[in-house]
Amino acid sequence: MTGVGTGVAAAALTRLLEMVQHVVWKGSGTELLDVALHASAWRHILVLLGAGILTGAGQIILGRLSSGNGIDTTAAIWFQAGRMSAWRTLGSAELSVILVGMGTALGREGAPKQVGAVIANFFSDKARLSDEQRQLLVACGAGAGMAAAYGVPLGGALFALEVMRGVLALRYVLPALFASVVATAVSWLALPDAPTYLIPAYTSSMSSVAWALLAGPIAGIVSVFYVRAVAWADRNKPEGWRRLTAPVLVLGLLGAVSIPFPQVLGNGKDISQLAFTNQVAPSLLLILLALRPMATVLCVRSGVPGGLFTPSLTVGAMLGAVLGHAWSWLWPGVPPGLFSSSRRRRGAGGHDARPDLNRRPDDGTHRPGPIVHRPDAAGCGDCDARGADHRTAFNL
């Protein structure tokens, strides 16, 4: 029942996000970058200011909704045997999805995780499970939420055990996997089973291997700074009356920046896809490498709820693309898109960056048609691929 309920909830949250995006941006509910590119400057400002007002009001309302203290799902599993305030957690999940649909620079992966945990907690109460059993079931529910949202049952099971429960034991594998498989199967009844990213069929070379050896340490250093920045932002969220003013100021600024750079909106999936297929100018990649992580950190600092996994992967994609262009000048012959996808696989680790292994669209930035260039029979100048071998579906 936990898997069934979580699958239904994950599908409902995805549709809610698409509906919000369609209403506020007056365009497709699945193509945030496209609609933002064509939206007026005033719409950018007003939508993000509205998101800031909603964030402040929502946080205050949620704080009064329950007498219990707000607590992270993982902390609830570890320290309170999975017990959490149901209404407050569900309200936070719904608020985060709405804000992501409005364009905040965060991900939606937190919402299905929270809802799955609440559903599992409900059935634990009904069945009067022991604390150890409750911990396992709530972790399985959270993992099932991730699996249903992204269509990755194995990834959801691993997430439940290794991250949420913190124990990778054989006796826990079957319930975690079963919950994730059921939730994913239920979600597929409403959500399309499609890969998140389509990446050209790049081939390895000595140049790419040499680049990986040099770029790996750089990515590690950037990850450290990024993780610490997000952790600092999370520890210093506004309190008191600043909970009302901080998100309005930050998201108003984000709206202004998004007028010339709409790529800062959402989780960054669209711009990552463009980088994978070498369709972003090096100068814009360099600017976004600074703007994207800054936008995410400021959103967290101002108290905006949302996920961090896909935004962190986007930072990795931007870093890989920038380093790839620089390497191409030194050692020509390898398409920069290969370097972007390489860094995306490693990612630029984010605060609480957990292996949710996303496969299906995150944060309403999915594009129904892959953003790829289509080579003719003579091949492609960007990646040396030919015909049908040019593209491969890339799933994490």
Side-chain angles (χ1 to χ4, degrees):
M1 292 303 296
T2 297
V4 173
T6 303
V8 172
L13 288 170
T14 301
R15 295 309 183 201
L16 173 62
L17 185 146
E18 294 173 354
M19 182 186 71
V20 170
Q21 187 172 300
H22 170 71
V23 171
V24 300
W25 288 101
K26 298 298 181 183
S28 171
T30 57
E31 300 179 31
L32 180 57
L33 180 56
D34 274 356
V35 296
L37 281 168
H38 295 93
S40 66
W42 280 111
R43 182 170 296 277
H44 282 254
I45 298 295
L46 293 176
V47 169
L48 271 299
L49 282 177
I53 295 172
L54 183 60
T55 298
Q59 296 289 14
I60 292 177
I61 293 173
L62 288 174
R64 297 177 178 178
L65 188 62
S66 170
S67 59
N69 294 325
I71 186 171
D72 175 74
T73 305
T74 307
I77 293 173
W78 289 359
F79 304 120
Q80 296 187 6
R83 293 178 177 86
M84 62 188 72
S85 170
W87 291 112
R88 185 168 182 171
T89 304
L90 291 174
S92 178
E94 185 175 357
L95 177 63
S96 69
V97 167
I98 293 173
L99 293 173
V100 167
M102 297 178 77
T104 58
L106 294 170
R108 71 173 175 88
E109 61 268 12
K113 178 186 73 173
Q114 291 174 304
V115 174
V118 168
I119 292 173
N121 192 47
F122 170 79
F123 286 117
S124 297
D125 287 335
K126 292 296 183 182
R128 298 181 180 180
L129 300 181
S130 66
D131 283 355
E132 182 180 1
Q133 292 172 324
R134 179 191 294 268
Q135 282 180 312
L136 175 60
L137 186 59
V138 173
C140 290
M146 306 293 285
Y150 301 128
V152 282
L154 180 57
L158 290 174
F159 175 84
L161 298 181
E162 198 169 2
V163 179
M164 302 302 297
R165 184 64 179 86
V167 178
L168 190 59
L170 185 61
R171 67 180 184 276
Y172 296 154
V173 171
L174 187 58
L177 185 60
F178 184 73
S180 293
V181 169
V182 171
T184 302
V186 171
S187 71
W188 277 346
L189 298 176
L191 302 178
D193 178 21
T196 303
Y197 300 97
L198 292 176
I199 296 182
Y202 295 120
T203 58
S204 182
S205 65
M206 286 300 299
S207 175
S208 61
V209 172
W211 173 85
L213 293 175
L214 295 175
I218 298 175
I221 294 172
V222 172
S223 297
V224 170
F225 282 104
Y226 181 66
V227 168
R228 290 183 176 179
V230 176
W232 168 84
D234 188 58
R235 290 194 305 268
N236 293 277
K237 291 180 178 179
E239 298 179 353
W241 60 269
R242 292 184 179 84
R243 287 187 296 173
L244 285 173
T245 58
V248 174
L249 293 174
V250 168
L251 294 183
L253 176 61
L254 178 63
V257 173
S258 71
I259 297 172
F261 300 106
Q263 297 85 357
V264 300
L265 297 175
N267 67 336
K269 174 189 170 292
D270 278 350
I271 191 61
S272 295
Q273 175 66 78
L274 291 171
F276 296 155
T277 51
N278 195 24
Q279 298 185 56
V280 186
S283 57
L284 178 58
L285 287 169
L286 189 60
I287 294 172
L288 293 178
L289 180 58
L291 291 181
R292 282 291 322 182
M294 189 181 303
T296 299
V297 170
L298 288 177
C299 283
V300 175
R301 175 68 174 84
S302 67
V304 179
L308 292 161
F309 185 74
T310 305
S312 299
L313 294 180
T314 300
V315 175
M318 297 299 100
L319 176 63
V322 169
L323 296 177
H325 278 284
W327 184 257
S328 295
W329 294 333
L330 297 175
W331 193 334
V334 179
L338 169 63
F339 305 121
S340 179
S341 61
S342 297
R343 289 270 65 80
R344 193 260 182 211
R345 291 185 183 107
R346 292 164 179 82
H351 169 63
D352 199 22
R354 294 161 179 158
D356 53 18
L357 307 179
N358 69 330
R359 179 166 182 247
R360 188 166 285 123
D362 191 8
D363 304 340
T365 56
H366 172 59
R367 306 173 70 89
I371 312 171
V372 295
H373 46 291
R374 302 177 182 274
D376 55 23
C380 175
D382 286 332
C383 64
D384 297 326
R386 295 176 181 271
D389 293 333
H390 178 67
R391 300 184 298 165
T392 55
F394 173 61
N395 299 323
L396 277 182

